[in-house]
Amino acid sequence: MKLKICFNLAAALLLCFNLSAQPRKELVNIIVTPNHADWTYDLGEPAEFSITVLRNNVPLENISIDYTVETDPGYRSIKIWDQGKLTLKNGRVKVKSPKFKNPGFLRCTARVTVDGKEYSSYATAGFSPEKIKATTSLPSDFEAFWKKGKEELAAIPMDAVMTLMPERCTDKVNVYHVQLNNIKGKIYGILCTPKKEGKYPAILHVPGAGIRPYYGDIDEAAQGFVSFTIGIHGIPVNLDQQIYDDLRSGALAGYNTMNLDNKENMYYRRVYLGCIRAVDFLESVSNFNGEDIAVTGGSQGGALSIVTAALDDRIDYLAAFYPALSDLTGFLKGRAGGWPQIFLDDFTNKPEKIEVSKYYDVANFSRFVKAEGWYSWGYNDNVCPPASTYAAYNLIPAKKELHVFQETQHWTFPEQHELKNKWLFSKLRE
């Protein structure tokens, strides 16, 4: 039994590492570099990209490079502005972009074939990203819709069930599997609390996309925080991995757009309200200090962090990496929309789906955030494209700070997490 628990924990830790780890290094490395150190330009200013190809860290010469320049497409396809072939001479070639007249992002991609294998890389230049505006719009009944949802949730008894998990407890931390009543079912999570007597700030961890077990943040609790990590799918978070695998490929496949044509039954309604229920629970934990609550997550979790802070004024601080579900209608306006990158074909481009998306778009929740926030993403993110995350960020009226790590795609450097934890922990301890 203990061996099985250790294996499952190791698998979960490996999954979490892979979600945030840098990509593996290949034999041939293509380096695409904008000519501004911060990769950022004013409107109307052309960007110039340098392309270098290395093998064993030695520049290659006289090989052909295929390049494209296009508006940041996420992982979809948008009209290509420029493309062609160039030959490496003196270790590099340069590509000058057309002038970019609207706030947004332009990506230069380079591809080479060496010994029969193709390699590619890209860099993304930003043009006045602080001026990017959301393409979505705020429904007139947006606030009323979510006020009604919160009232429905408040009428449902929480009925928290906490089950101690002795096999995960340490000499400093107690670990519990938690079950709560939510709108239309349950919400489950892992609570980690300090054993040392006292009152502590609380941190709510909201998850990235997917279906998986959760293990909580034991180290965080050992440092003096009540730490609660939730799942969003209404199923226990301590089951065998095979169950989650089956759900991922079966009943929950494509959950992120389920019921997109019905605002009352859209999948994320119970998810967003479930995050509020998680805050209800934190308020009831005996060694919570009764004052300080933060919410944090990345990707879908970044989205849920903003949504939770917007819907619940008990949140004091939020820290979000590359928030998904932001400015979903971007593709309708010729630029990348936020994950899951919809509204680009006849199946999704239906008026009723577009309208319902507005009630779940993070950009619209951003308008109501009052909690102080820390945010971070990269220009090269092709899952949660930077145009979408800026569209949401630029609407946030609360005190905020953005930490851009330009070259990162949908992953983070360890330094980003160190910065986030330093900021979040210090705020909660003030």
Side-chain angles (χ1 to χ4, degrees):
M1 181 65 179
K2 288 184 178 179
L3 180 61
K4 183 177 181 181
I5 291 168
C6 291
F7 177 80
N8 286 342
L9 179 58
L13 290 174
L14 181 61
L15 174 63
C16 292
F17 176 78
N18 286 337
L19 287 173
S20 61
Q22 300 173 48
R24 66 184 178 87
K25 188 173 182 179
E26 296 184 298
L27 174 64
V28 175
N29 185 25
I30 304 174
I31 301 173
V32 185
T33 310
N35 63 333
H36 281 195
D38 61 359
W39 297 26
T40 307
Y41 300 78
D42 294 329
L43 291 181
E45 185 179 9
E48 187 174 77
F49 298 89
S50 293
I51 302 171
T52 303
V53 182
L54 307 175
R55 181 168 58 184
N56 298 322
N57 290 331
V58 177
L60 295 178
E61 293 283 350
N62 299 317
I63 64 170
S64 178
I65 292 177
D66 291 292
Y67 75 89
T68 58
V69 177
E70 60 191 328
T71 302
D72 171 24
Y75 52 70
R76 305 293 188 176
S77 296
I78 294 181
K79 183 179 179 181
I80 292 175
W81 284 28
D82 183 28
Q83 61 185 327
K85 287 183 178 289
L86 295 169
T87 300
L88 275 172
K89 293 182 179 180
N90 300 318
R92 70 175 57 188
V93 294
K94 293 185 177 182
V95 175
K96 195 169 185 177
S97 77
K99 291 184 178 181
F100 204 73
K101 297 181 180 179
N102 298 309
F105 289 86
L106 202 61
R107 178 184 297 177
C108 178
T109 300
R111 295 179 177 84
V112 300
T113 300
V114 178
D115 295 335
K117 181 176 179 180
E118 183 179 280
Y119 301 86
S120 67
S121 185
Y122 63 85
T124 311
F127 295 83
S128 299
E130 74 285 352
K131 296 180 180 179
I132 290 174
K133 294 182 179 180
T135 60
T136 191
S137 59
L138 185 71
S140 60
D141 65 339
F142 181 88
E143 292 178 89
F145 174 76
W146 287 107
K147 181 175 182 292
K148 177 175 176 286
K150 290 193 292 182
E151 289 171 350
E152 290 179 17
L153 176 68
I156 298 172
M158 182 167 61
D159 289 343
V161 178
M162 295 173 55
T163 304
L164 185 69
M165 307 178 78
E167 71 279 6
R168 297 193 192 175
C169 296
T170 71
D171 59 334
K172 295 181 179 180
V173 175
N174 281 324
V175 182
Y176 303 86
H177 186 263
V178 177
Q179 171 188 296
L180 311 170
N181 284 338
N182 187 22
I183 292 280
K184 295 185 178 179
K186 308 288 184 181
I187 187 167
Y188 295 86
I190 301 295
L191 175 70
C192 300
T193 64
K195 285 185 174 179
K196 184 177 180 181
E197 188 174 344
K199 298 291 185 179
Y200 302 96
I203 301 175
L204 173 62
H205 291 267
V206 283
I211 303 98
R212 65 182 72 88
Y214 293 95
Y215 295 85
D217 197 322
I218 294 173
D219 180 65
E220 195 171 80
Q223 295 185 62
F225 298 96
V226 173
S227 181
F228 188 35
T229 301
I230 63 169
I232 64 167
H233 299 296
I235 54 176
V237 294
N238 61 343
L239 304 176
D240 289 339
Q241 181 65 46
Q242 186 60 50
I243 295 174
Y244 304 107
D245 293 343
D246 291 344
L247 287 168
R248 184 183 306 112
S249 59
L252 292 179
Y255 73 83
N256 46 55
T257 55
M258 284 181 180
N259 296 326
L260 185 55
D261 55 358
N262 185 322
K263 70 179 181 181
E264 296 289 344
N265 292 308
M266 202 280 183
Y267 192 87
Y268 278 107
R269 182 173 184 269
R270 57 170 302 282
V271 174
Y272 290 3
L273 293 173
C275 292
I276 296 174
R277 180 46 38 107
V279 179
D280 293 338
F281 171 71
L282 281 172
E283 291 251 308
S284 75
V285 175
S286 60
N287 55 353
F288 168 55
N289 69 10
E291 295 181 359
D292 307 298
I293 305 179
V295 61
T296 187
S299 195
Q300 177 185 262
L304 296 178
S305 297
I306 294 173
V307 168
T308 306
L311 290 176
D312 198 325
D313 60 11
R314 292 173 294 181
I315 298 296
D316 300 292
Y317 305 102
L318 76 95
F321 291 106
Y322 32 72
L325 297 158
S326 296
D327 202 36
L328 293 167
T329 51
F331 284 104
L332 297 175
K333 302 295 183 179
R335 74 179 193 216
W339 179 91
Q341 299 192 24
I342 50 179
F343 302 131
L344 40 67
D345 56 41
D346 291 340
F347 178 74
T348 55
N349 293 2
K350 293 181 170 62
E352 60 271 24
K353 292 185 178 184
I354 294 169
E355 189 61 29
V356 168
S357 78
K358 298 175 183 179
Y359 292 87
Y360 295 91
D361 197 309
V362 169
N364 283 332
F365 286 94
S366 293
R367 307 169 195 268
F368 302 99
V369 171
K370 297 178 181 178
E372 185 175 350
W374 186 99
Y375 304 83
S376 186
W377 54 73
Y379 282 7
N380 278 345
D381 195 327
N382 67 337
V383 177
C384 296
S388 70
T389 51
Y390 269 101
Y393 178 82
N394 291 343
L395 285 167
I396 294 172
K399 185 177 180 181
K400 59 189 177 182
E401 55 185 77
L402 175 60
H403 298 262
V404 176
F405 286 69
Q406 284 82 356
E407 74 170 288
T408 57
Q409 297 178 20
H410 204 60
W411 47 264
T412 53
F413 287 115
E415 290 85 349
Q416 285 171 270
H417 285 278
E418 291 167 6
L419 282 173
K420 185 266 287 185
N421 286 341
K422 182 178 180 181
W423 182 88
L424 196 61
F425 293 176
S426 65
K427 289 293 181 181
L428 288 168
R429 288 169 171 157
E430 284 181 352

